[in-house]
Amino acid sequence: MPAEPTLHLGHRTAAPAYPAAAGSSIVSVATGHPGSGFPEDRMPEGYTPTERDLPVINRGDTVQVPVTPEAAPAAESAPANGEGPGPLYVVGDVHGYLDELVAALRAQGLIDENGGWSAGNARLWFLGDFTDRGPDGIGVIDLVMRLSAEAAAAGGYCKALMGNHELLLIGAKRFGDTPVNSGAGTATFQAAWLLNGGQKHDMDRLQDVHLQWMSRLDAVVREDDHLLLHSDTTAYLEYGETIEDVNDTVHEILTRNDADEVWDVFRKFTKRFAFRDEGGPQAVQELLSTYGGHRIVHGHSPIPYLLGQVGTEEGEDSSGPIVDGPHVYADGLAIAMDGGVTMAGKLLVVQLPLNS
């Protein structure tokens, strides 16, 4: 098996600046296996990564379409009670980087200097993965929950999708070290959570209201002509032939509270790279023909991995990978939104549609 690429992490401010969170602490960022989340020599027993889970990515693996998003008009100019829906924005994986999220939302005019919703009837979708690896995952969730209420009051909305790290945190809290059947042995949510960058201070501050909110998140939605989902995998097809079926099935599994069932959803939603290879466009079309839309917008797989911008021969460059914006690939049918904030990349907040 080819050697795993080396990550070069840039310098980051670990202390969250907004909103202030009691009991938060400065932590080092933990990065796991970029494919499955597990370092190969520390995988829980029974976790067997598939070929698509592995971070073996060459620059020729993707169809690279340069994208220069047009400057978005100030979101706060959208009328609160205007006719029709407001502008649509999507946010890539946050992973606890609250400072970067606040800065990116302010840059798009979605929040004001005090962190309050200032975008009128704009529509904002988070693509999942709010916690783990970064310094303040619970602060991120608290911010998104508050903005959801403020946006609704202003005539817009702020909503979120369920990522694999939401499933992981729910499982770690509910099931802890209870063994689960991984399909090839046993594993535990607690071990998987720690190996995927779980932060103790997030678990300490995790409350029932956070668990309830995460458990109710949808897995797939369609907005305008975009199919939004967290993971670049076709595993969603296993949960239903309609968007409603997929979301209902995932919610029912979480409600039943069976550790093995929740693990199976987590495992499938951790798969990646279904859209980047030669058969990528066909995989995208399978999802689009089933659930509707003309483009998929996803997070989960960092753009630096999709583009092969990971590591250097010299090993001296600490500036991190270059991420200018979303990555459009798979014959223009897929948009990757995970800018690799955990590896000194960029936390992306972008208005749709993109021109390519």
Side-chain angles (χ1 to χ4, degrees):
M1 183 175 64
E4 182 172 333
T6 301
L7 295 182
H8 297 279
L9 300 178
H11 300 288
R12 291 204 172 272
T13 301
Y18 176 87
S24 61
S25 59
I26 297 177
V27 299
S28 60
V29 180
T31 56
H33 188 285
S36 65
F38 302 120
E40 288 187 73
D41 59 346
R42 297 176 60 199
M43 291 185 188
E45 179 186 356
Y47 185 89
T48 305
T50 65
E51 181 179 352
R52 289 197 185 280
D53 287 331
L54 301 176
V56 181
I57 305 169
N58 299 315
R59 290 184 182 274
D61 287 335
T62 61
V63 177
Q64 299 184 32
V65 180
V67 175
T68 305
E70 295 182 355
E76 62 266 31
S77 64
N81 297 309
E83 295 183 3
L88 175 62
Y89 294 82
V90 289
V91 185
D93 301 36
V94 182
H95 282 300
Y97 283 94
L98 181 59
D99 289 353
E100 287 80 356
L101 174 60
V102 169
L105 293 174
R106 283 176 177 164
Q108 289 286 8
L110 293 164
I111 62 174
D112 58 28
E113 289 301 310
N114 296 317
W117 180 262
S118 61
N121 69 344
R123 297 169 291 161
L124 178 62
W125 273 100
F126 285 80
L127 299 179
D129 279 9
F130 300 101
T131 67
D132 303 334
R133 299 196 176 105
D136 194 3
I138 299 303
V140 170
I141 292 177
D142 285 336
L143 174 63
V144 177
M145 291 174 65
R146 177 172 61 77
L147 290 179
S148 296
E150 294 178 1
Y157 57 74
C158 169
K159 299 183 180 182
L161 292 178
M162 182 179 294
N164 60 304
H165 280 262
E166 279 67 65
L167 291 163
L168 185 57
L169 184 58
I170 291 170
K173 181 66 173 181
R174 287 184 181 177
F175 308 118
D177 288 323
T178 301
V180 295
N181 182 4
S182 67
T186 58
T188 71
F189 271 105
Q190 178 72 9
W193 175 70
L194 290 172
L195 291 172
N196 276 275
Q199 301 294 318
K200 182 179 182 299
H201 64 272
D202 280 346
M203 185 64 76
D204 290 343
R205 294 162 55 206
L206 184 64
Q207 301 175 20
D208 286 344
V209 65
H210 301 128
L211 287 169
Q212 293 168 4
W213 180 80
M214 288 189 292
S215 297
R216 294 169 182 163
L217 297 177
D218 284 337
V220 185
V221 298
R222 190 171 67 245
E223 283 284 355
D224 299 341
D225 218 19
H226 310 287
L227 186 65
L228 309 183
L229 40 81
H230 173 71
S231 305
D232 46 329
T233 177
T234 58
Y236 295 92
L237 296 167
E238 301 180 37
Y239 294 94
E241 296 181 357
T242 68
I243 289 174
E244 293 75 15
D245 288 344
V246 174
N247 293 330
D248 288 346
T249 300
V250 173
H251 292 154
E252 288 169 4
I253 290 172
L254 289 173
T255 299
R256 284 196 295 268
N257 212 34
D258 181 281
D260 287 333
E261 282 192 310
V262 177
W263 177 268
D264 193 55
V265 180
F266 160 68
R267 179 181 62 83
K268 288 174 180 174
F269 284 6
T270 301
K271 294 180 180 180
R272 62 174 84 245
F273 302 146
F275 312 147
R276 73 173 176 90
D277 298 316
E278 184 177 349
Q282 182 178 351
V284 174
Q285 288 285 19
E286 187 177 6
L287 286 162
L288 294 176
S289 63
T290 302
Y291 302 129
H294 285 81
R295 245 183 184 178
I296 282 179
V297 183
H298 70 85
H300 191 50
S301 289
I303 293 171
Y305 284 108
L306 291 171
L307 296 179
Q309 296 174 340
V310 180
T312 63
E313 292 294 331
E314 297 79 14
E316 298 295 330
D317 184 7
S318 62
S319 62
I322 299 173
V323 177
D324 294 324
H327 176 51
V328 180
Y329 68 116
D331 291 350
L333 295 173
I335 301 175
M337 281 290 300
D338 183 350
V341 67
T342 65
M343 58 185 74
K346 185 176 183 180
L347 201 162
L348 298 176
V349 178
V350 175
Q351 184 176 354
L352 297 177
L354 292 178
N355 296 320
S356 59

